[in-house]
Amino acid sequence: MAIYRITITMADGSRGRCMGLFADGFEAVLQTLADFPDARSVSALRVGTGRSAR
């Protein structure tokens, strides 16, 4: 699992960002498209692992 920063662009041009824990970037994009079916663009950027530092 890894942390991904998701950027969403909607049809009206508005943008949003969120972060989430996903198995891979493909899952991140597919889940975001399922949550925002009217999105014009979705991108996922891996920013870290899901493991905590000790």
Side-chain angles (χ1 to χ4, degrees):
M1 301 292 275
I3 301 168
Y4 286 85
R5 180 175 36 209
I6 312 297
T7 303
I8 306 159
T9 304
M10 299 303 288
D12 65 359
S14 62
R15 292 184 184 177
R17 281 191 192 165
C18 62
M19 295 182 85
L21 190 63
F22 298 96
D24 56 35
F26 188 69
E27 179 193 356
V29 170
L30 284 181
Q31 184 59 53
T32 303
L33 285 172
D35 294 340
F36 298 92
D38 295 332
R40 181 176 64 183
S41 171
V42 174
S43 65
L45 177 67
R46 183 178 174 160
V47 294
T49 63
R51 298 181 183 187
S52 61
R54 291 186 182 196

